[in-house]
Amino acid sequence: MLNIGLVLPDVLGTYGDDGNALVLRQRARMRGLQAEIHPIRLGEPVPETLDIYTLGGGEDTAQILAADHLISDGGLTRAANAGRPVFAICAGLQVLGESFRASGRIIDGVGLLDATTAGMQDRAIGEVASEPTRAGVTADLTEPLTGFENHLGATILGPSAQPLGTLTRGNGNADQAATADLSDGSAQRTYEGAVQGSVIATYMHGPALARNPQLADLLLSQAMGMALADLEPLEIPAVDRLRVERFNASEPPRSQR
């Protein structure tokens, strides 16, 4: 049985990122595996023994509530420290960092990612694509990554975190204004997402795992303690067509970087 934790869908469920848990469950079931989703709502303890955890996006107030709960509960931190895979989207990425800006103030994050989030000058919105860096637990990724970004957070990665992807389209983690005074500012402006330990985080909506089946299977393989290459492949033409359509989609002009 594969147990998938859907973390705080009541506050981090604004952009349809709950779909990532559905994709994981369906891809497992298509391989003949039993899989169930376990919603964990605000105020409920986060079990630390599930096989994989997903977090989605939300607004400022929701982020603050999520951070307070996850810090005080500690279950997700214990799960990540035990090596259980965690997949976080947008606000989920920010909440798992060291700090983020919300409602005009700096809020302490969960601390699973060496990342801090301030504000962007202009909203990053539109198609985003990247080449996987193959950092850490993503070493087996070979296929380009695609999603839809919609955020005002400028996320800067510290030395303990590495980017999930190197941008080929879109804005990614941070803009010119947020990185102008950084010694590695030009590199930071090429980053999309973050990888640290067993945590993979990204600004890609879509849902991300519907648009990136190899990434979904990487997470499944990690949850099951096996190599990605040993996971039975799935042939789903509709998903292949979706990827082609999204990579070929017209894109809005990239902001000044």
Side-chain angles (χ1 to χ4, degrees):
M1 169 70 75
L2 183 73
N3 293 296
I4 303 164
L6 178 57
V7 181
L8 305 182
D10 46 346
V11 292
L12 295 179
T14 304
Y15 300 105
D17 299 307
D18 294 6
N20 289 313
L22 295 171
V23 171
L24 290 171
R25 184 179 67 182
Q26 182 63 16
R27 292 185 74 86
R29 289 179 173 179
M30 290 177 75
R31 293 178 166 99
L33 303 171
Q34 288 186 308
E36 295 296 338
I37 297 171
H38 302 269
I40 304 156
R41 295 180 173 82
L42 192 67
E44 298 176 351
V46 180
E48 58 190 87
T49 56
L50 301 180
D51 298 302
I52 188 168
Y53 300 80
T54 67
L55 296 85
E59 307 301 333
D60 282 12
T61 300
Q63 285 181 261
I64 296 169
L65 291 171
D68 286 346
H69 177 64
L70 295 176
I71 291 169
S72 62
D73 175 74
L76 187 66
T77 297
R78 291 190 293 272
N81 289 341
R84 301 182 188 277
V86 177
F87 185 58
I89 307 295
C90 199
L93 183 163
Q94 297 176 15
V95 165
L96 295 189
E98 297 293 339
S99 66
F100 59 94
R101 189 170 187 84
S103 299
R105 58 194 178 98
I106 301 299
I107 308 296
D108 287 339
V110 178
L112 291 176
L113 291 171
D114 185 7
T116 57
T117 301
M120 272 189 177
Q121 193 169 41
D122 299 303
R123 177 171 289 275
I125 183 168
E127 291 293 310
V128 61
S130 67
E131 290 291 333
T133 63
R134 307 180 73 177
V137 294
T138 68
D140 291 334
L141 286 181
T142 58
E143 297 179 359
L145 300 164
T146 170
F148 187 88
E149 60 183 349
N150 182 7
H151 65 97
L152 269 170
T155 297
I156 304 300
L157 302 186
S160 296
Q162 296 173 281
L164 170 62
T166 301
L167 280 173
T168 57
R169 177 189 302 176
N171 291 274
N173 289 357
D175 60 0
Q176 175 73 38
T179 58
D181 297 329
L182 300 177
S183 60
D184 64 343
S186 59
Q188 293 277 350
R189 291 192 293 277
T190 70
Y191 293 168
E192 202 297 309
V195 178
Q196 184 172 340
S198 64
V199 178
I200 300 174
T202 176
Y203 276 109
M204 296 186 295
H205 299 291
L209 298 186
R211 294 177 60 156
N212 298 282
Q214 188 187 50
L215 179 57
D217 284 349
L218 177 72
L219 288 161
L220 280 177
S221 67
Q222 291 168 354
M224 295 186 290
M226 60 190 299
L228 175 60
D230 294 333
L231 196 63
E232 178 188 354
L234 294 176
E235 299 294 333
I236 309 176
V239 174
D240 296 335
R241 291 195 297 271
L242 169 66
R243 283 179 60 79
V244 170
E245 192 275 333
R246 287 295 84 202
F247 278 118
N248 291 336
S250 60
E251 59 181 288
R254 184 167 170 173
S255 64
Q256 181 64 40
R257 304 185 72 80

